């Protein structure tokens, strides 16, 4: 009976399938040394087939290129992140618009109170609140206001006509239609950027202490 030489196909498939894990785990230099050692120590009566060797080298080359590409991408992403963070520094001192109900008031400036109406309003009352949520100024508009964005200027004075200290103030809007039914609305915050904190999800720190993600910023004034 003729002797049957055991096939290495199963072994080679397993070896080829493990190349990626070996390179990833051991590193390319160690993997190459192991491959050379394998060639030096192989059984002369049952050597590694040429096509199997070429297949392993081809896989190794592909993995090396993929690893190099990944490292380059990581480097580019890190550089882009650094540039983005440096760009954020330019926001310090600038006023940004986001969803909210606060506004920064300077020493001698007026403040813009911005809001949006969901429907038509014939009367809009805006109340500016003090530190203890007390009403320090009332602004009323009886003009016909259509749905959409609107804004009014607050001169920084309280109900007594005195200038209030600079800082951040909260405001709220109450709108009514022609039948004195409430009209829903939402407000926009306009605050100055006080600081940028790197390495956080919301790096933009506003004057009030509120933090924003860059995607929360609607516009920069």
């Amino acid at each position: 009976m003729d002797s049957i030489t055991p096939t290495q196909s199963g072994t080679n498939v397993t070896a080829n399938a493990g190349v990626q894990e070996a390179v990833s785990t051991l590193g390319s230099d160690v993997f190459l040394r192991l491959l050379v050692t394998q060639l030096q120590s192989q059984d002369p009566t049952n050597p590694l087939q040429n096509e199997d060797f070429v297949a392993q080298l081809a896989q190794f080359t592909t993995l090396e290129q993929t690893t190099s590409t990944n490292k380059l991408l990581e480097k580019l992403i890190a550089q882009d992140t650094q540039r983005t963070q440096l760009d954020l520094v330019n926001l310090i001192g600038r006023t940004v618009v986001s969803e909210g109900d606060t506004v920064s008031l300077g020493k001698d400036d007026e403040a813009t109170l911005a809001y949006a109406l969901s429907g038509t309003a014939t009367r809009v009352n805006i109340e500016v609140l003090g530190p203890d949520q007390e009403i320090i100024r009332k602004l009323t508009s009886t003009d016909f206001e259509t749905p959409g964005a609107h804004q009014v200027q607050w001169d920084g004075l309280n109900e007594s006509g005195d200038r209030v200290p600079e800082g951040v103030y909260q405001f709220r809007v109450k709108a009514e239609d022609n039948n004195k039914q409430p009209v829903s609305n939402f407000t926009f915050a306009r605050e100055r950027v006080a600081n940028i904190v790197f390495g956080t999800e919301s790096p933009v720190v506003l004057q009030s202490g509120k933090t924003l993600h860059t995607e929360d910023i609607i516009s920069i004034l």
Side-chain angles (χ1 to χ4, degrees), residues 96-103 112-116 169-173 185-191 206 210 212 216 218:
V96 296
V97 179
S98 63
E99 290 189 22
D101 58 358
T102 53
V103 63
T112 300
L113 310 179
Y115 57 94
Y169 292 84
Q170 186 179 359
F171 69 98
R172 59 192 177 204
V173 176
N185 63 84
F186 61 91
T187 54
F188 299 97
R190 292 192 176 200
E191 280 197 53
L206 302 181
K210 179 182 177 181
L212 295 178
D216 297 329
I218 298 174

Side-chain angles (χ1 to χ4, degrees), residues 18-28 31 60 63-64 67 70:
V19 170
Q20 180 173 358
E21 183 178 357
V23 174
S24 179
T25 304
L26 300 175
S28 59
F31 178 79
F60 173 75
L63 289 171
E64 274 286 88
T67 301
N70 289 339

Side-chain angles (χ1 to χ4, degrees), residues 74-148:
E74 290 175 359
K75 185 176 180 180
L76 291 175
I77 292 173
Q79 290 176 347
D80 185 63
T81 300
Q82 185 178 25
R83 282 196 299 268
T84 300
Q85 291 178 340
L86 291 177
D87 289 341
L88 287 178
V89 174
N90 296 324
L91 289 179
I92 296 177
R94 301 283 296 276
T95 297
V96 296
V97 179
S98 63
E99 290 189 22
D101 58 358
T102 53
V103 63
S104 292
L105 178 69
K107 184 177 181 180
D108 301 310
D109 299 334
E110 290 188 344
T112 300
L113 310 179
Y115 57 94
L117 300 174
S118 63
T120 301
T122 56
R123 183 182 182 88
V124 178
N125 294 318
I126 301 176
E127 299 172 342
V128 182
L129 307 178
D132 299 321
Q133 298 295 295
E134 75 278 15
I135 299 175
I136 61 175
R137 183 67 184 273
K138 294 180 180 179
L139 302 171
T140 301
S141 172
T142 55
D143 294 334
F144 181 83
E145 293 194 1
T146 58

